[in-house]
Amino acid sequence: KKNMIEREKKRRRLYEKFKLKKAQLVAALQATDDFNEKLKIQAKLQKIPRNSAQVRLRNRCWKTGRGRGVYRDFGLCRHALREMANEGYLPGVIKSSW
């Protein structure tokens, strides 16, 4: 699970690094009408690493590294959230009863 967390950190770093460059290239691509120029810009876009794409980012639990069932408010997966809430580590979180 450590490698998945590190891979996700790498993807976040790459996304932040290439975000501005990609936005500039996309804007230039939309602004130009010349076909050859569009091909050159498209070639530059293809050289940007795939792991720098925003769609490849995944919310992961900071405690366990789990990628599914992650609550954004806490950054925890449902298992870790339940465990920490029952132990009283999350202030204001209580078990619901009705």
Side-chain angles (χ1 to χ4, degrees):
K1 73 182 171 191
K2 290 264 188 197
N3 62 340
M4 293 303 291
I5 295 170
E6 291 303 316
R7 191 181 301 167
E8 195 61 36
K9 287 179 185 175
K10 179 183 175 186
R11 284 181 179 151
R12 289 199 186 276
R13 281 195 307 268
L14 279 172
Y15 170 69
E16 290 299 323
K17 181 178 178 183
F18 288 100
K19 180 171 51 172
L20 184 63
K21 182 178 180 181
K22 187 171 183 175
Q24 289 172 344
L25 286 172
V26 168
L29 185 69
Q30 291 173 348
T32 186
D33 290 331
D34 184 31
F35 182 71
N36 290 327
E37 188 67 28
K38 282 190 178 201
L39 288 178
K40 288 177 186 174
I41 295 170
Q42 192 66 38
K44 288 179 185 177
L45 270 171
Q46 288 176 349
K47 287 182 182 175
I48 294 175
R50 285 186 179 180
N51 276 336
S52 67
Q54 188 176 7
V55 291
R56 291 207 176 203
L57 297 179
R58 180 107 177 142
N59 288 336
R60 291 199 172 270
C61 174
W62 60 264
K63 187 175 179 188
T64 62
R66 184 175 164 87
R68 293 181 174 218
V70 178
Y71 286 79
R72 290 183 185 177
D73 295 340
F74 304 100
L76 289 167
C77 67
R78 57 193 175 92
H79 305 299
L81 179 79
R82 182 172 188 259
E83 184 181 302
M84 291 180 76
N86 286 340
E87 291 173 8
Y89 292 132
L90 301 175
V93 178
I94 54 170
K95 273 184 84 170
S96 118
S97 60
W98 63 89

